[in-house]
CSV table of all heavy atoms in Angstrom, one decimal:
chain,number,residue,atom,x,y,z
A,72,PRO,N,-8.4,-11.9,6.4
A,72,PRO,CA,-7.1,-12.0,7.1
A,72,PRO,C,-6.4,-10.6,7.3
A,72,PRO,O,-5.7,-10.4,8.2
A,72,PRO,CB,-6.3,-12.9,6.1
A,72,PRO,CG,-7.3,-13.6,5.4
A,72,PRO,CD,-8.5,-12.7,5.2
A,172,GLU,N,3.1,19.0,-14.4
A,172,GLU,CA,1.8,19.3,-15.0
A,172,GLU,C,1.0,18.1,-15.3
A,172,GLU,O,-0.2,18.1,-15.1
A,172,GLU,CB,2.0,20.2,-16.2
A,172,GLU,CG,0.8,20.6,-16.9
A,172,GLU,CD,0.3,19.6,-17.9
A,172,GLU,OE1,1.2,19.0,-18.6
A,172,GLU,OE2,-0.9,19.4,-18.1
A,361,CYS,N,-1.9,-11.0,8.7
A,361,CYS,CA,-1.6,-9.6,8.6
A,361,CYS,C,-1.8,-8.8,9.9
A,361,CYS,O,-2.1,-7.6,9.8
A,361,CYS,CB,-2.3,-9.0,7.4
A,361,CYS,SG,-1.8,-9.6,5.8
Side-chain angles (χ1 to χ4, degrees):
E172 181 274 324
C361 290

